[in-house]
Amino acid sequence: MKPVNITFTEGIYLGYKFYETAAEEGLFNYDDMVQYSFGHGLSYTTFTQEMQNFTDNGDSISFDATVTNTGDTAGKDVVEIYYTPPYYNGGIEKASVNLIDFEKTELLEPGQSQTLSFTVYKEDMASYDSNRIKTENGGYVLEAGEYTISIRSDSHTVIAEERYVMDEETREQIASKSTAHYDPTLYDDPEAEMPTTGADNGLKLEDFTGVDYDDPSWDDLLDQLTVEEMVELVNLGGFQTIAVESVDKARTLDSDGSTGLNDWYIGVYGTSFPTSVMIAQTWNKELAYDVGDAIGAEFAECGIYGWYGPSMNIHRNPFNGRNFEYYSEDGVLSGKMAAQTVNAAGEHGVYAYIKHFALNDQETNRCSFLLTYCDEQAIREIYMKPFEECVKNYDLSGCYGK
C-alpha cells in the first residue's frame, strides 16, 4: 500500500489569518478576494461598540467594551477581540490578525447598553519559535515591540483599537509550554527502578474527588494498581472502562456522539443537537454551555459517563470528512466554545474524551498509512489550541449555569 501524504504548507496562515496578512502585505486587494470575513454576522438591528479603560497590568491587558443597541429591534451583539503582534522580517512567523477572546451580550432592547469586561494575557500573544530563531530547542517567545488590541465586527473591520509596547522580549515565563524532546535514555535505562505495583495502601478512587492534580497522594493510589490491571484498563477500553478492584473503581460505560448521545454499539440514542459548527457560529459561550448541560444530563440519565466528544479538529478545508463535527477554522473560537460544553457536561459527572486529537484532515484513507506533515508552530498555535483551551479551563466554578 502506497502512503498518502498531506502537507500543511500554509503553516499558521490558515483561513482568515492568511487573507488578512496577505492583503496587508499587498499580495491582493482584500475586497476583491473576500466576500464574508471571519466573524461576519447579520442582525435585525444595529449596534455601536466603545473600547474603554484600557489598562496595561504587566502580565495582562484589561479593558471594557460598551455595546449599545442603536436600532429599533431587540438583539444581541458579539464583541470580538483580536491582537496584532510585532513582526520582524526573517523572524518568527506572525499573522497580522489573531482572535484572542470574544463575548456575546445579553438581549438588548433598543437604546439599551451593556458593558463587558475583558482581561487578555500577554503570554497568549506569544509565538512559537519552531524554526529555533530565538530559542535553542523551540518554545514560545513574546517578542518586544508594539502590540495592538482591537475590537472588530469581523476579522477585517476595526471598531476601536489600543496599543501597548513590550519593552523586553520574554521567554522564561512561557517555558512551561516549551517542547519536551524525546530522550531515549529516559525510556531504555537498564538501571531504572520498576514502579511499585500491588501496594496495600488502603486507598479508594472515590476518595480522590477534588484532590489537586499535583498532590503526591496520587502516587500512593497508583502504587495499588497491578500490572495486569493496567494492561486490561488499556486493552479493554473501547466504549467502556473496566472495574479495577485494587482501587475500588467501578466499571463505566463510554458512548459516542460529538453532538449528542449516539451509542450505535449498544443501541442507545439521545437528542441530536445542532452541529458544532452551528454552535460556533453563534459566538455564544452561554449557549455552548447549555448544549453541554443537556448532553451531560442525557448521558447521566442513561448511566453512561464517558462521552466520546466533542470533536476538536480545525476546518482546514471544505472537504474535511468530519467538518460537521468540528467548530471552526480558528483554535481560540473552537477551544473556548468547547470548554464551556465540556465543563457543563462535567456538572453531571460526565467526562469528555475531547477528540479526534489533531490534524485529522480527511476521512478517506485516514487509517491507511496516512502521512501528515505540519510545522510545530502551526500545530501548537492552531491545531492543538482547542485541546489546550479545554484542558486548561476545566474549572466548573468559572462556567455559566450551575
Side-chain angles (χ1 to χ4, degrees):
M1 179 180 295
K2 293 180 63 176
V4 178
N5 295 337
I6 295 180
T7 303
F8 288 41
T9 55
E10 72 279 1
I12 65 167
Y13 300 106
L14 176 70
Y16 75 92
K17 295 185 179 184
F18 166 75
Y19 288 98
E20 300 297 337
T21 308
E24 185 174 300
E25 292 293 313
L27 185 63
F28 51 73
N29 181 279
Y30 188 89
D31 293 333
D32 292 340
M33 295 293 293
V34 180
Q35 289 184 309
Y36 299 103
S37 302
F38 174 80
H40 170 82
L42 298 176
S43 175
Y44 290 105
T45 188
T46 56
F47 298 91
T48 60
Q49 296 184 12
E50 297 179 65
M51 198 173 188
Q52 303 162 328
N53 305 319
F54 188 88
T55 305
D56 187 341
N57 304 309
D59 291 337
S60 65
I61 298 292
S62 61
F63 57 91
D64 297 328
T66 298
V67 183
T68 303
N69 184 343
T70 58
D72 55 10
T73 303
K76 299 180 181 181
D77 199 18
V78 180
V79 179
E80 302 176 26
I81 310 300
Y82 296 85
Y83 73 92
T84 299
Y87 172 72
Y88 305 99
N89 191 28
I92 302 172
E93 294 293 331
K94 310 277 185 64
S96 63
V97 178
N98 305 269
L99 182 70
I100 193 170
D101 203 358
F102 60 93
E103 200 69 56
K104 196 159 193 174
T105 68
E106 60 190 22
L107 185 68
L108 299 178
E109 297 294 334
Q112 187 178 3
S113 298
Q114 181 182 359
T115 298
L116 301 171
S117 296
F118 294 88
T119 298
V120 295
Y121 293 91
K122 293 180 179 179
E123 71 167 296
D124 290 333
M125 291 176 258
S127 301
Y128 194 83
D129 183 19
S130 60
N131 291 321
R132 283 51 172 170
I133 296 172
K134 293 195 171 184
T135 58
E136 181 179 355
N137 296 314
Y140 278 90
V141 178
L142 191 63
E143 293 191 286
E146 184 179 81
Y147 289 75
T148 302
I149 306 293
S150 58
I151 57 175
R152 305 183 179 214
S153 58
D154 54 61
S155 63
H156 191 67
T157 308
V158 177
I159 299 173
E161 62 184 19
E162 294 282 355
R163 293 173 172 80
Y164 74 93
V165 175
M166 283 286 296
D167 293 325
E168 297 181 359
E169 183 172 281
T170 305
R171 304 178 197 178
E172 291 76 15
Q173 67 192 55
I174 318 296
S176 62
K177 292 184 177 180
S178 296
T179 307
H181 290 280
Y182 174 73
D183 182 353
T185 63
L186 297 177
Y187 305 95
D188 190 22
D189 182 1
E191 304 299 323
E193 183 178 349
M194 177 70 177
T196 301
T197 59
D200 184 13
N201 295 329
L203 301 174
K204 296 182 179 180
L205 181 61
E206 64 182 19
D207 299 331
F208 284 75
T209 301
V211 174
D212 188 78
Y213 181 83
D214 295 322
D215 193 300
S217 62
W218 282 105
D219 290 333
D220 297 327
L221 179 74
L222 294 176
D223 285 349
Q224 295 181 192
L225 296 172
T226 67
V227 173
E228 183 180 2
E229 286 174 332
M230 288 186 281
V231 170
E232 290 185 347
L233 188 62
V234 173
N235 288 340
L236 302 178
F239 291 90
Q240 66 168 334
T241 67
I242 64 166
V244 181
E245 183 179 358
S246 65
V247 293
D248 197 29
K249 177 203 167 300
R251 175 178 178 265
T252 64
L253 292 177
D254 298 338
S255 289
D256 208 356
S258 62
T259 56
L261 179 56
N262 179 31
D263 198 323
W264 48 268
Y265 191 70
I266 58 176
V268 177
Y269 303 97
T271 303
S272 181
F273 289 88
T275 60
S276 297
V277 62
M278 182 173 289
I279 299 300
Q281 286 172 338
T282 69
W283 294 66
N284 190 328
K285 297 175 186 176
E286 186 172 3
L287 180 62
Y289 181 92
D290 290 342
V291 171
D293 184 41
I295 291 175
E298 290 194 353
F299 267 74
E301 180 68 22
C302 294
I304 301 171
Y305 290 95
W307 173 26
Y308 289 173
S311 301
M312 309 292 292
N313 272 213
I314 293 296
H315 292 169
R316 179 171 176 255
N317 68 69
F319 305 106
N320 266 9
R322 296 281 185 107
N323 266 351
F324 73 98
E325 291 192 35
Y326 306 143
Y327 287 91
S328 79
E329 67 183 51
D330 183 82
V332 172
L333 175 60
S334 299
K336 290 186 180 297
M337 296 295 277
Q340 291 295 331
T341 301
V342 165
N343 278 299
E347 292 275 5
H348 299 276
V350 174
Y351 44 91
Y353 291 85
I354 49 179
K355 61 177 189 180
H356 300 110
F357 201 53
L359 289 85
N360 184 36
D361 204 49
Q362 66 182 56
E363 282 298 292
T364 304
N365 295 323
R366 73 184 177 104
C367 298
S368 303
F369 208 6
L370 176 63
L371 304 178
T372 301
Y373 298 89
C374 182
D375 69 72
E376 190 174 2
Q377 183 181 10
I379 293 173
R380 288 181 175 269
E381 293 185 14
I382 299 175
Y383 298 100
M384 291 301 297
K385 184 62 68 174
F387 299 89
E388 180 182 0
E389 286 281 346
C390 267
V391 172
K392 289 186 174 180
N393 293 294
Y394 191 73
D395 179 7
L396 300 180
S397 64
C399 289
Y400 296 98
K402 302 174 185 178

